[in-house]
Amino acid sequence: MRVLLAEDDAELASRLAEALGEAGFAVDRAADGRDAEFRGQTEDYDAVVLDLGLPGMDGLSVLDTWRGNGRRMPVLVLTARGRWHDKLAGFDAGADDYLVKPFPIEELVLRLRALIRRSTGHVHPLIECGALVLDDNANRFTLAGEPLALTAQEQRILAYLMHRQGAVVSRAELGEHVYEQGYDPDSNALDVLIGRIRRKIGAARIVTERGKGFRLEALP
């Protein structure tokens, strides 16, 4: 899953980006409101972590602009302010969740996972696709109850397909959602990774729709 991290505190942004990367997210960073607003308008993120105190354009204005232009990605707001009217302003602007600084980074990761699950129609952290199960909170896969050993890239691709199971996912969509901005994997690289995943979960579970993309099937 690809997320935008909009935070101007360089030290905090680095710690958050590292933790999110370790949790399996592809992370793009923005250090000011104008950059965040532009990225959120032009890139298809699975979720956004948005600091309200951004320079150039404050987070509430950024969020209000996104929502006014029909951008619907889940947004987790960060702020140093804990007053109720500040929280209310965030929700009124279209925030989906709220964290007051300081906070445990582990909590941010769990809240972000929950927002993405809900946005794709999954409520429970155990996402099932036949015998294939993703424990979203732990970022672990099992097949018929047995743990799967996946590389970080394989994990990102399979997690995205799990969230979109049953739907045809194009190569372009996969590239947009599992890699950071600026990384452009070629088709051969994706084919190699899909091939490796098929060997681990069974080839029939990932169907190739010729000229369209890939579909994850629920099989016993």
Side-chain angles (χ1 to χ4, degrees):
M1 296 295 180
R2 184 174 167 211
V3 301
L4 173 62
L5 172 60
E7 169 60 61
D8 64 313
D9 183 325
E11 181 181 353
L12 176 59
S14 293
R15 289 194 288 115
L16 292 178
E18 181 180 3
L20 290 170
E22 290 175 352
F25 293 97
V27 184
D28 293 346
R29 289 171 58 173
D32 65 76
R34 296 293 179 188
D35 186 27
E37 188 270 335
F38 175 77
R39 289 173 182 261
Q41 295 280 28
T42 57
E43 299 290 336
D44 192 12
Y45 291 107
D46 295 294
V48 178
V49 178
L50 177 66
D51 179 39
L52 292 188
L54 293 172
M57 184 178 187
D58 69 87
L60 285 178
S61 298
V62 171
L63 181 53
D64 191 58
T65 300
W66 286 340
R67 296 311 194 214
N69 289 326
R71 303 298 285 170
R72 301 177 62 183
M73 62 282 195
V75 175
L76 173 62
V77 162
L78 305 181
T79 181
R81 297 166 290 185
R83 294 172 298 181
W84 167 245
H85 71 270
D86 291 325
K87 295 180 182 180
L88 183 61
F91 286 121
D92 283 345
D96 298 278
D97 202 354
Y98 206 102
L99 271 177
V100 177
K101 300 176 183 177
F103 53 83
I105 292 179
E106 296 82 2
E107 181 178 356
L108 180 141
V109 171
L110 289 175
R111 286 175 179 259
L112 202 57
R113 290 193 192 283
L115 287 178
I116 293 173
R117 282 200 307 272
R118 288 198 293 269
S119 73
T120 56
H122 301 283
V123 178
H124 199 279
L126 292 180
I127 300 175
E128 300 181 6
C129 185
L132 184 64
V133 178
L134 167 62
D135 182 340
D136 193 43
N137 282 345
N139 197 30
R140 286 197 299 263
F141 283 92
T142 57
L143 179 61
E146 296 297 320
L148 279 174
L150 300 168
T151 67
Q153 287 185 327
E154 292 166 0
Q155 190 109 357
R156 286 182 181 181
I157 290 171
L158 188 53
Y160 188 76
L161 292 175
M162 285 288 284
H163 281 80
R164 300 270 285 117
Q165 59 185 271
V168 177
V169 178
S170 69
R171 296 172 185 272
E173 183 179 345
L174 267 179
E176 289 171 357
H177 287 268
V178 302
Y179 295 102
E180 292 87 354
Q181 188 178 41
Y183 185 84
D184 186 20
D186 58 31
S187 294
N188 288 337
L190 281 176
D191 284 337
V192 168
L193 288 167
I194 291 290
R196 289 176 182 172
I197 296 170
R198 280 180 166 141
R199 286 194 290 273
K200 294 178 180 181
I201 69 172
R205 294 182 191 280
I206 300 180
V207 177
T208 299
E209 296 280 354
R210 191 171 298 277
K212 296 180 179 179
F214 306 100
R215 186 181 71 253
L216 186 67
E217 289 284 285
L219 297 177

